[in-house]
Amino acid sequence: VCEDAELIWVSTGMAGDPIALGISDGKLRFCRDLVIRRNPEQVAVLARHAIFKPFGMDSSDIDYKHSEIAPAVIRIDARSSGDTASVVLAIQPITGDRAGLHVLAGGNTEAERRHYADWARRLRWFMENPENATTSWRPFMVEPT
């Protein structure tokens, strides 16, 4: 058990220390907790395709990289013109049809933190309604299966 990025991390049989998740650099902080009305495994599949628009970055030429840094912990890195930003989505099973989504994001100002919290709220809607994910604001890189 340890505290990192304003969250308490508990390892239950996972090899290694939770701090080794690569989030303890101080750039990512707790942003928002959400309950998603969807199977936790489906939430994990959708999280592997989520994208975000970093605060202040032009969205026209952003490259995204997704990596599973631990079981059910997905890191999304966005790069554009030398700038980088990251979001971490940690999925916690609650029941067979509900999952907790713990969002860590960058942001030092209130406006930046509000930007990422609003993104997470919209992501929840799209995770619960992936068949409707057809707006100009696309939370997914590809259509989830």
Side-chain angles (χ1 to χ4, degrees):
V1 176
C2 69
E3 188 258 333
D4 187 35
E6 301 178 3
L7 289 175
I8 303 297
W9 297 88
V10 178
S11 176
T12 57
M14 184 174 86
D17 189 347
I19 286 183
L21 295 175
I23 59 171
S24 59
D25 58 9
K27 294 180 182 175
L28 295 177
R29 300 178 6 203
F30 169 76
C31 176
R32 188 170 201 153
D33 286 325
L34 302 162
V35 175
I36 311 292
R37 291 184 312 261
R38 195 161 192 85
N39 177 291
E41 292 164 2
Q42 293 171 327
V43 170
V45 167
L46 295 170
R48 288 183 192 102
H49 298 286
I51 62 171
F52 68 103
K53 180 181 177 188
F55 187 83
M57 258 192 216
D58 178 15
S59 61
S60 62
D61 64 344
I62 299 175
D63 293 317
Y64 295 94
K65 177 186 172 194
H66 294 69
S67 54
E68 192 158 343
I69 57 177
V73 182
I74 289 103
R75 182 181 181 117
I76 309 165
D77 294 303
R79 290 181 173 73
S80 176
S81 303
D83 290 330
T84 62
S86 300
V87 169
V88 170
L89 305 174
I91 300 144
Q92 175 187 10
I94 297 173
T95 65
D97 63 350
R98 290 194 189 274
L101 186 67
H102 309 288
V103 180
L104 292 96
N108 295 319
T109 68
E110 185 176 331
E112 289 173 301
R113 301 206 25 100
R114 192 174 319 117
H115 169 80
Y116 291 113
D118 288 344
W119 171 81
R121 182 183 47 78
R122 291 190 311 269
L123 180 64
R124 174 182 56 201
W125 187 89
F126 280 99
M127 285 185 162
E128 292 176 346
N129 304 280
E131 64 281 356
N132 296 323
T134 57
T135 69
S136 61
W137 180 84
R138 290 182 47 88
F140 305 118
M141 290 177 57
V142 296
E143 291 303 317
T145 56

